[in-house]
Amino acid sequence: MRQPATSARAATPSAPGSVGDVRKANLVRVLSVIAAAGEDQRLSRADIAQLSQLTKASVSSLVADLLAAGLVIEIGVHRDGERGRPSVGLILNPTRCVMGMEINVDYIAAGLVDLKGKLLAHGILPRTNHGSTASEVLTALGELSQTLQEAARSQGLMILGGGLAVPGLVQEDQFTVLQAPNLGWVEQNLDVASLLPEPKTRFRLFNEANASALAQQQLMDAQDRDFLFVSGEVGIGGGLIIDAELFIGPQGHAGELGHVVIEPDGKRCSCGGRGCLETIAGQEAILAAAGLGAGTDNASRQERISQLYQALQSGTDVAVNAVAEAGKSLGVAVASALRLYNVSTVVFGGHFAALEQWLRPAMEASLHEHAPSIADQARLLRSPLGQTGALVGAARSVVGDLLEAPYQLVD
Amino acid sequence: MRQPATSARAATPSAPGSVGDVRKANLVRVLSVIAAAGEDQRLSRADIAQLSQLTKASVSSLVADLLAAGLVIEIGVHRDGERGRPSVGLILNPTRCVMGMEINVDYIAAGLVDLKGKLLAHGILPRTNHGSTASEVLTALGELSQTLQEAARSQGLMILGGGLAVPGLVQEDQFTVLQAPNLGWVEQNLDVASLLPEPKTRFRLFNEANASALAQQQLMDAQDRDFLFVSGEVGIGGGLIIDAELFIGPQGHAGELGHVVIEPDGKRCSCGGRGCLETIAGQEAILAAAGLGAGTDNASRQERISQLYQALQSGTDVAVNAVAEAGKSLGVAVASALRLYNVSTVVFGGHFAALEQWLRPAMEASLHEHAPSIADQARLLRSPLGQTGALVGAARSVVGDLLEAPYQLVD
DNA sequence: GCCATTTAGTTTATGTCCTGAACTATATTG
DNA sequence: CAATATAGTTCAGGACATAAACTAAATGGC
């Protein structure tokens, strides 16, 4: 069971090498040119020919297929003030979309993302998922999905596929969650068939940090082709983008920054190890260090987190120090990760984004202390992604798959 | 799914998408089938047609081009005991080769590697390169190369390209060594033009650990498509193979295991950081911990290393403990790296291979302590590569490039 | 108002390359 | 020596990109 390892993409058809493959490749080429166009840009066939290095004749023929497949539509345009025959604008079909979904510890979410990667509609439902079985959660998510499917119908949107993000290790090809300690799941098989209406063309399962990294990618400059996204949720996840592609490693679990060893003689971790980053910079670890550990005042985690922010705002030493300590450890983990991956940009999301002002000084100092030769080029960014980040990323990745295999939709 | 950055291969021609590209792809396909054949296997055109999924007609035509390019030769075969027209055997041209070279701290080396990846001839010249300028070392290497070129001439071998491995960070596209602290080099531009005879088709520069990883790959089972090679030389390098391709990261420096942070409050490292693996498990660190630090008895490093092995053989506590301590730290670094890369096989080369029996127990214990959930699946192997490893790997990689771009040689 | 100019897009002839089927070449078996 | 089996080549046909010619539809100058 060989997995496409580094990107989990439907690899270029490696079957025979016939002339037909050229057309497949060129369909992708044309489509990617159209997809890369700016928001209000309406490329003509002539523009595409120039950008894609194909001839006008080829482009016309390829575009005809894409129109037939419904991936692209024509928009008549009369360019004022210029001579010559006016061009016909071509854009990605705005009525085609993909459903993105997320199951997190404290909520479920779903939304519709168009072929441009824009979130058209979404719903977030608070829900305590820890302890629920997968099927219970999926039932709730299925209802949320139904609501969005109706919204899609009323707006004339066609749903072409779906992506689901969960906070844990996944085995994508079998729709299985291998481990999601924060959900209390071990080896849960997800029956995702009911989440989407027919005809879906593709459904994929993602780790939450990986999906968020994909969403973050959309927000970055086009030249930022490499970065590490660090997701501070209940656990600490990581998603790595290399050469503008998600790098997931041989079994799809690369980027697990939360279990990088920071203190060889440190505390026991939930993973069974010792001294992992999560034991110092995980949500519960920070809370505990700030004197707000589980059980304090019988408060829920949400309440304790609120208390933490209050304490930070008022400058309470124990809280400030707890976060600074986490920042120091994050700096160490980042130093090692940057060395191993050879990336120079790190984007922090989740509670790390929220804690930024208290985290950053210690983190930067630690990075300079432990890897001065790369610290100066390193960029540490705060992610603006909110609760919809993971679902958008999951959907966007499925959109990417569709755009890279348009011939599956061409008759 | 573009791939260039992660594998540094001559990417599939991403220019226009013409019918001619099909032929290029099919040339590669046919050639890779021939290259994948066993040592004594002589595939016929019919065999190739079956294995490559192409028709006999196509294969005949493609093979004709490969014969013309000199990459493949025919060997007449009469298969006894079978009916039908006998087949004509096809094998990679055994008279084509690539020169692999290495500059290390204590020696320079060069050798000829055929298209099958076999080392045909080689020379190793002890030389203290630390302190020499790049041009001095290259002059010496050029002489060694001349010797091998004469050997090649006398055996009728044609040299198609070359690869050079150095113990440091390289910028391949400019033939520049950015840093090689153990050679005392900073930003050295290598004038490699004189190292090879014309017509060379390709020359590449490698980090030593990366090149060794490529050589190790040749020794692994075909299904071992992912592993981390850890090279214990004067420094500690790493080479990562993902999905049977070298992963070098955005700037080509991924895998720097030597500067993973093991002890956040540890010793200052030569890289400027603190607590890096090299400060504990580097050659000098182990020697120092064993009471054989630089300057001891005015002995050279080679002599001190000999003393270390003697002390280990006789069970001297301080030496045994020094190596065990290094093993523990290696276990920590490996735990983090396996988590970040999601590979499960690690191969140890250089002095780590030599120290295996003293290193392994502590390393395994440490890995189980710090990452028990993955330690059981992890395989820690000892590399049998000797001093020719890096040069073979560098050459083999260039061979791979040639076999993946045969159309450059086809008229 | 008309014609030259300009740009968009289509049509057509051509060449490349793969495919499948027919065909040739060369062996073994009875 | 004929039947059979396997290897490899030849040839007609189709898919596709290309370049150049051609049609379509606007603007601008006179």
Side-chain angles (χ1 to χ4, degrees):
Chain A
M1 181 179 51
R2 215 129 263 57
Q3 226 177 335
T6 64
S7 88
R9 278 294 166 77
T12 323
S14 75
S18 68
V19 181
D21 293 342
V22 174
R23 190 158 188 88
K24 290 180 184 178
N26 285 341
L27 279 170
V28 175
R29 179 186 294 256
V30 167
L31 198 49
S32 74
V33 166
I34 297 174
E39 193 61 39
D40 299 321
Q41 229 173 335
R42 280 131 199 248
L43 296 178
S44 66
R45 288 168 174 78
D47 294 333
I48 295 170
Q50 214 171 9
L51 292 168
S52 68
Q53 309 255 55
L54 294 163
T55 61
K56 286 193 296 177
S58 300
V59 169
S60 278
S61 156
L62 292 160
V63 164
D65 280 3
L66 295 176
L67 288 169
L71 287 171
V72 164
I73 61 166
E74 287 187 333
I75 295 191
V77 174
H78 300 270
R79 296 185 306 145
D80 312 38
E82 296 218 7
R83 297 221 269 210
R85 173 174 168 178
S87 61
V88 177
L90 294 165
I91 59 170
L92 292 179
N93 190 337
T95 69
R96 302 300 152 103
C97 66
V98 164
M99 174 124 37
M101 291 167 274
E102 182 186 5
I103 295 171
N104 212 317
V105 181
D106 304 318
Y107 64 90
I108 57 177
L112 299 173
V113 173
D114 71 11
L115 298 182
K116 275 281 187 191
K118 200 172 74 180
L119 184 60
L120 301 175
H122 73 278
I124 300 178
L125 211 66
R127 188 176 193 285
T128 305
N129 293 316
H130 185 102
S132 293
T133 66
S135 80
E136 285 167 358
V137 179
L138 283 178
T139 302
L141 187 57
E143 286 166 18
L144 183 53
S145 162
Q146 283 297 336
T147 313
L148 283 161
Q149 286 175 43
E150 277 156 37
R153 257 194 300 279
S154 71
Q155 292 172 52
L157 294 171
M158 183 186 288
I159 298 171
L160 296 179
L164 170 60
V166 298
L169 298 185
V170 304
Q171 185 163 359
E172 216 197 320
D173 50 356
Q174 294 172 16
F175 296 133
T176 299
V177 177
L178 297 174
Q179 291 171 41
N182 300 321
L183 288 174
W185 289 4
V186 179
E187 280 264 9
Q188 292 272 358
N189 230 297
L190 303 189
D191 177 20
V192 297
S194 60
L195 292 179
L196 283 189
E198 297 300 332
K200 57 172 177 288
T201 59
R202 196 173 174 84
F203 191 96
R204 290 184 57 189
L205 190 58
F206 295 85
N207 165 268
E208 178 270 330
N210 287 344
S212 297
L214 289 164
Q216 178 68 38
Q217 188 184 10
Q218 198 174 12
L219 306 176
M220 310 280 283
D221 284 349
Q223 74 260 29
D224 289 329
R225 297 173 67 82
D226 312 279
F227 65 90
L228 174 64
F229 183 89
V230 180
S231 166
E233 301 286 333
V234 176
I236 299 175
L240 185 64
I241 304 288
I242 297 281
D243 198 32
E245 295 274 348
L246 183 65
F247 176 91
I248 60 171
Q251 284 116 38
H253 312 151
E256 283 289 304
L257 199 75
H259 301 286
V260 165
V261 181
I262 304 298
E263 306 210 310
D265 301 319
K267 290 203 192 89
R268 187 61 65 190
C269 177
S270 68
C271 76
R274 184 182 288 284
C276 301
L277 177 61
E278 244 175 60
T279 66
I280 307 168
Q283 225 171 53
E284 283 298 344
I286 292 178
L287 287 169
L292 295 163
T296 309
D297 302 338
N298 268 330
S300 73
R301 184 163 54 232
Q302 288 302 344
E303 290 166 336
R304 288 182 288 129
I305 288 174
S306 298
Q307 291 171 26
L308 174 65
Y309 281 104
Q310 283 169 19
L312 289 169
Q313 295 287 1
S314 55
T316 312
D317 272 1
V318 61
V320 170
N321 289 341
V323 175
E325 198 57 33
K328 182 184 164 190
S329 296
L330 258 179
V332 172
V334 164
S336 294
L338 294 192
R339 278 278 167 49
L340 289 175
Y341 292 139
N342 183 221
V343 298
S344 52
T345 301
V346 186
V347 185
F348 294 90
H351 75 256
F352 290 148
L355 290 172
E356 189 209 15
Q357 58 172 299
W358 298 281
L359 216 46
R360 182 183 280 275
M363 183 162 63
E364 285 185 342
S366 173
L367 182 58
H368 272 88
E369 172 75 5
H370 295 101
S373 61
I374 58 172
D376 286 334
Q377 317 148 34
R379 286 190 307 163
L380 308 180
L381 307 178
R382 178 185 177 284
S383 170
L385 289 176
Q387 285 186 305
T388 58
L391 76 88
V392 169
R396 210 177 85 89
S397 181
V398 172
V399 166
D401 291 346
L402 295 176
L403 297 183
E404 285 193 18
Y407 39 87
Q408 289 177 353
L409 300 172
V410 173
D411 185 27
Chain B
M1 182 167 44
R2 313 282 155 315
Q3 222 184 355
T6 64
S7 84
R9 279 292 167 75
T12 323
S14 76
S18 67
V19 181
D21 292 342
V22 174
R23 189 158 189 87
K24 291 181 183 176
N26 284 341
L27 279 170
V28 175
R29 180 186 294 256
V30 167
L31 197 48
S32 74
V33 166
I34 297 173
E39 193 61 39
D40 299 322
Q41 227 174 336
R42 282 133 197 244
L43 296 179
S44 66
R45 288 166 174 78
D47 295 333
I48 295 170
Q50 215 171 8
L51 292 168
S52 67
Q53 310 256 54
L54 294 163
T55 60
K56 286 193 296 176
S58 299
V59 170
S60 277
S61 157
L62 292 161
V63 164
D65 280 3
L66 295 175
L67 288 169
L71 287 171
V72 165
I73 61 166
E74 287 187 333
I75 295 192
V77 174
H78 301 268
R79 295 186 305 144
D80 312 39
E82 295 219 8
R83 297 221 266 211
R85 175 176 168 176
S87 61
V88 178
L90 294 165
I91 59 170
L92 292 179
N93 189 337
T95 70
R96 303 301 151 102
C97 66
V98 163
M99 173 123 40
M101 289 167 275
E102 182 184 8
I103 296 172
N104 213 318
V105 180
D106 304 318
Y107 64 92
I108 56 177
L112 299 173
V113 172
D114 70 11
L115 298 182
K116 275 281 189 191
K118 201 172 74 181
L119 184 61
L120 301 175
H122 72 278
I124 300 178
L125 211 65
R127 188 175 193 284
T128 304
N129 293 316
H130 185 102
S132 294
T133 66
S135 80
E136 287 168 356
V137 179
L138 283 177
T139 301
L141 186 58
E143 287 166 18
L144 184 52
S145 162
Q146 283 297 337
T147 314
L148 282 160
Q149 285 176 44
E150 277 157 36
R153 257 193 300 279
S154 72
Q155 293 173 50
L157 294 172
M158 182 186 290
I159 298 171
L160 296 179
L164 170 60
V166 299
L169 297 186
V170 304
Q171 186 164 359
E172 214 196 324
D173 49 357
Q174 293 172 17
F175 296 135
T176 299
V177 176
L178 297 175
Q179 292 171 41
N182 301 321
L183 288 174
W185 289 4
V186 178
E187 279 266 9
Q188 291 271 358
N189 229 298
L190 304 189
D191 177 21
V192 297
S194 61
L195 292 179
L196 282 189
E198 296 299 334
K200 59 171 175 287
T201 59
R202 195 174 175 85
F203 191 95
R204 290 184 56 189
L205 189 59
F206 295 84
N207 163 270
E208 177 269 329
N210 286 345
S212 297
L214 289 164
Q216 178 68 37
Q217 188 184 11
Q218 200 174 8
L219 306 176
M220 310 279 284
D221 284 349
Q223 73 260 29
D224 289 330
R225 299 174 66 83
D226 311 279
F227 65 90
L228 174 65
F229 184 89
V230 179
S231 166
E233 301 288 331
V234 176
I236 298 175
L240 185 63
I241 304 287
I242 297 281
D243 200 29
E245 296 275 346
L246 184 64
F247 176 92
I248 60 173
Q251 283 117 39
H253 311 151
E256 281 292 302
L257 200 75
H259 300 286
V260 165
V261 181
I262 303 298
E263 305 208 310
D265 302 320
K267 290 203 193 88
R268 186 62 66 189
C269 177
S270 67
C271 76
R274 185 180 287 284
C276 300
L277 177 62
E278 243 175 62
T279 65
I280 307 168
Q283 222 170 58
E284 281 299 346
I286 291 177
L287 287 169
L292 295 163
T296 308
D297 303 338
N298 268 333
S300 73
R301 184 166 52 231
Q302 289 302 344
E303 291 165 336
R304 289 181 287 128
I305 288 175
S306 298
Q307 291 170 28
L308 174 67
Y309 282 102
Q310 283 168 19
L312 288 169
Q313 297 286 0
S314 54
T316 312
D317 273 358
V318 62
V320 170
N321 289 340
V323 175
E325 198 59 32
K328 182 185 164 189
S329 296
L330 258 179
V332 172
V334 164
S336 293
L338 295 192
R339 276 282 167 47
L340 290 176
Y341 292 138
N342 183 221
V343 299
S344 51
T345 302
V346 185
V347 184
F348 294 89
H351 75 255
F352 290 148
L355 290 172
E356 189 209 14
Q357 58 173 299
W358 297 282
L359 216 46
R360 180 184 281 275
M363 182 162 65
E364 285 185 341
S366 174
L367 182 58
H368 272 89
E369 172 74 3
H370 294 102
S373 61
I374 56 173
D376 286 334
Q377 316 148 37
R379 284 191 307 164
L380 308 180
L381 307 177
R382 179 183 177 285
S383 172
L385 290 176
Q387 285 185 305
T388 58
L391 76 87
V392 169
R396 210 177 84 91
S397 181
V398 172
V399 166
D401 291 346
L402 295 176
L403 296 183
E404 286 193 15
Y407 40 87
Q408 291 176 352
L409 301 172
V410 174
D411 184 28

